[in-house]
Amino acid sequence: GISSNRWMTHLNNSLTQLGFTSAPGDKCLFTRGGGDSRIWLCTHVDDILTIGTPAGLEKFEKEFCAIYQCNVQKGWKHSYLALDIVQHSTTYQVSVGQSGYRRDVLNRFAHLMQGVRNDGRVPSGPEIIQPETEESPPADRSLYASVVMSVMFLSRFTRIDLSFTVNILTTHIAHPTVHHMKHAVRLLKYLAHVSDMVIVYKSSDPNPVIYADASHATHADGKGHGCIMIFIGTGIIYCKSYKLRLTTLSSTESEYVVMCDASTLAEWFMSILRFMRIKAERIDVAQDNTSTISWTEGDMTFARNKHLMIRRNKAKEAVVSGLIRVIHVPTERMLADLGTKPLPLRQLLTHMSNAGMMCLDRDGDGYRLRRIDIPIRRRDRE
C-alpha cells in the first residue's frame, strides 16, 4: 500500500509538471492542451493509455520517456489491462473485448466442464435464485472463488451478460456448496458456448443514458437486486449489478432505491463529461416503472414512505436541477434487465445486441465483427 501510494504520488507530480490536469471526479484521468494538441490520459498503476493527435502524442512520448523507462504500443490495436482495443480501419468503429483472457479462463478450468451435459445457451436459469431443496455438501472454497472471481473480471469490463449470474454466485463465496459449484460450471459452459464478444462504439452523438432497474425480493433474505448501466453513444461503458442493502416493501420501492443510486451516479458521470469537453445538457435515466417515475417527479406520502424520503429527495433534486430527465421505457426494452434477473435466450441476446455488443469472428489472420444472431419467435416465422 505504501509503495503504490508513493508511485501514484510521483506519477501525478510528473504529469502535473508536464502540464496535465486531473479530473475532479477521477484522479486517474488527465488532460493537457487544447484543440489539435489536446491529449487525454488515464492511468492504472504503471499502465497508461493515451489518446490524441499524432503530433501531440509524439511530443508527450518524448517528454514522458525522458522521465520513465517505457514500452510504447502504437497502431490500430492495443492491449490494456487484458482489454483488446481495436480501431477498425474500414469502418472507424472501436471495439473493446477480452478474447485472450476468455480463452485463458476456459483453458484453466476446462477440467471442470468435462462430462457436463448443460448446453450453455444461457448463463443461468431461474433456479439460481431459488433456495436449495436439499442440503448440499460443501464445495472446494478456493476453487469456487477462483472460478467466480476469474469470470467477474470479464463481467466488470466487457461481458455484461455475465453480470447477474456472477453477482449471485459471489454471495455464496464464503460457504459454497456443490449446488453453487454446479451453477459456476454452467456459467463456464456458457462462456465456452458463446463466441468471443466485444462492445462496439461507433461515431455518433454522445447522448448519455442511464438505465436503472430492480427486481423485488430476489434474494433469500427478501432483499431485491438492482442494476445500473451507463451508455454513451452506441455502447455501454459502465455496469453495476448488486444486491440492495435496504429492505423494501414493494417492487416500486426497490426500483426507487436504484433510481436514487442512479441519480448519485449521474452527478459523477456529468462531471466526467464536462471535464472531457463532451456537451450534454442532461442525462436521461430510463425507467420502466411508472409509479417510480411519479414518485421522482411528484410527491409521496410521508407516513407510508418516510424510510425512503431522503432517497426520494435526492432523486427529485436531480430532476429539478436539470441534471437528469426520467424517461419511461417499456419493460421489454429495459437493458438493465441483464443485471437483475435470469433471462430467456431471445431476450438475453436482444438486450446484448442493443447494448452495443457484437460477435468477433476469426477471418484469416485478422478478425471481423458480426451482429448477434437472435432466434426468430415462432409467431414471427408464421
Side-chain angles (χ1 to χ4, degrees):
I2 296 177
S3 59
S4 60
N5 180 264
R6 288 179 176 176
W7 160 248
M8 288 306 300
T9 300
H10 191 279
L11 178 61
N12 290 350
N13 290 338
S14 298
L15 292 174
T16 301
Q17 292 175 4
L18 293 177
F20 283 88
T21 303
S22 63
D26 190 336
K27 297 302 180 182
C28 294
L29 176 65
F30 297 82
T31 187
R32 181 182 76 175
D36 294 338
S37 64
R38 181 176 295 279
I39 292 178
W40 302 105
L41 180 150
C42 64
T43 67
H44 180 83
V45 193
D46 58 351
D47 291 309
I48 297 175
L49 182 67
T50 55
I51 300 173
T53 60
L57 292 175
E58 183 178 357
K59 179 182 177 182
F60 168 71
E61 181 183 342
K62 291 179 180 179
E63 295 173 337
F64 196 75
C65 290
I67 305 173
Y68 302 104
Q69 184 177 357
C70 307
N71 293 321
V72 180
Q73 294 184 43
K74 297 180 180 180
W76 298 98
K77 183 176 181 179
H78 300 275
S79 178
Y80 182 71
L81 304 179
L83 298 173
D84 301 318
I85 305 173
V86 181
Q87 182 172 346
H88 301 268
S89 57
T90 55
T91 60
Y92 292 99
Q93 298 175 339
V94 175
S95 66
V96 181
Q98 295 171 279
S99 301
Y101 181 81
R102 168 182 170 270
R103 288 193 295 271
D104 290 343
V105 171
L106 293 177
N107 290 335
R108 195 185 323 152
F109 301 113
H111 64 285
L112 296 177
M113 294 182 283
Q114 294 178 359
V116 178
R117 293 185 178 181
N118 190 288
D119 60 7
R121 287 164 60 85
V122 292
S124 61
E127 63 275 6
I128 195 173
I129 56 176
Q130 295 172 357
E132 299 181 47
T133 55
E134 299 179 359
E135 186 175 351
S136 181
D140 185 328
R141 183 175 180 271
S142 177
L143 179 60
Y144 179 84
S146 182
V147 172
V148 174
M149 300 310 290
S150 295
V151 181
M152 177 181 284
F153 187 76
L154 280 167
S155 70
R156 285 285 182 88
F157 286 94
T158 60
R159 295 299 300 269
I160 57 175
D161 50 321
L162 311 175
S163 298
F164 175 75
T165 304
V166 169
N167 193 272
I168 294 296
L169 293 177
T170 58
T171 62
H172 305 291
I173 211 162
H175 303 286
T177 66
V178 172
H179 173 80
H180 303 134
M181 179 62 83
K182 288 181 179 179
H183 287 294
V185 174
R186 176 176 179 171
L187 184 59
L188 290 174
K189 289 282 290 185
Y190 169 77
L191 199 59
H193 174 79
V194 179
S195 304
D196 282 325
M197 305 294 295
V198 295
I199 301 175
V200 178
Y201 303 92
K202 305 175 184 178
S203 177
S204 65
D205 293 332
N207 188 30
V209 180
I210 297 178
Y211 285 81
D213 190 45
S215 56
H216 181 59
T218 299
H219 296 268
D221 59 2
K223 293 185 178 179
H225 200 91
C227 182
I228 300 174
M229 294 181 174
I230 300 179
F231 289 77
I232 185 165
T234 61
I236 185 171
I237 63 169
Y238 176 91
C239 176
K240 179 183 179 182
S241 175
Y242 61 107
K243 178 180 180 180
L244 302 187
R245 296 183 178 182
L246 178 66
T247 301
T248 53
L249 303 178
S250 65
S251 58
T252 299
E253 289 189 5
S254 296
E255 296 274 9
Y256 201 84
V257 170
V258 178
M259 174 64 72
C260 174
D261 294 341
S263 302
T264 303
L265 192 61
E267 295 181 355
W268 165 82
F269 187 44
M270 181 61 82
S271 72
I272 296 296
L273 293 177
R274 289 170 176 165
F275 180 77
M276 298 189 69
R277 306 292 194 273
I278 297 176
K279 295 182 180 180
E281 295 182 2
R282 61 175 179 266
I283 298 174
D284 287 341
V285 177
Q287 172 59 239
D288 63 354
N289 187 298
T290 55
S291 296
T292 301
I293 296 176
S294 297
W295 275 10
T296 305
E297 298 177 337
D299 295 316
M300 60 168 63
T301 305
F302 178 79
R304 292 184 58 187
N305 307 111
K306 60 183 179 181
H307 58 297
L308 287 175
M309 287 299 289
I310 295 177
R311 292 177 179 270
R312 176 262 180 186
N313 289 336
K314 178 65 178 177
K316 186 171 183 179
E317 284 176 3
V319 173
V320 173
S321 67
L323 172 65
I324 67 172
R325 178 183 64 174
V326 185
I327 59 175
H328 178 262
V329 297
T331 300
E332 59 270 17
R333 288 172 46 200
M334 173 47 70
L335 302 186
D337 276 350
L338 283 166
T340 60
K341 57 180 73 69
L343 297 176
L345 178 61
R346 190 178 188 279
Q347 189 177 5
L348 173 71
L349 297 178
T350 300
H351 283 347
M352 290 168 62
S353 178
N354 291 336
M357 298 182 70
M358 297 183 71
C359 300
L360 188 68
D361 297 332
R362 290 186 178 274
D363 186 12
D365 295 332
Y367 297 90
R368 67 180 181 87
L369 297 173
R370 173 174 58 85
R371 292 185 62 86
I372 296 175
D373 296 325
I374 301 174
I376 300 176
R377 291 177 296 188
R378 180 177 299 176
R379 67 169 178 264
D380 291 339
R381 289 197 294 266
E382 296 172 353

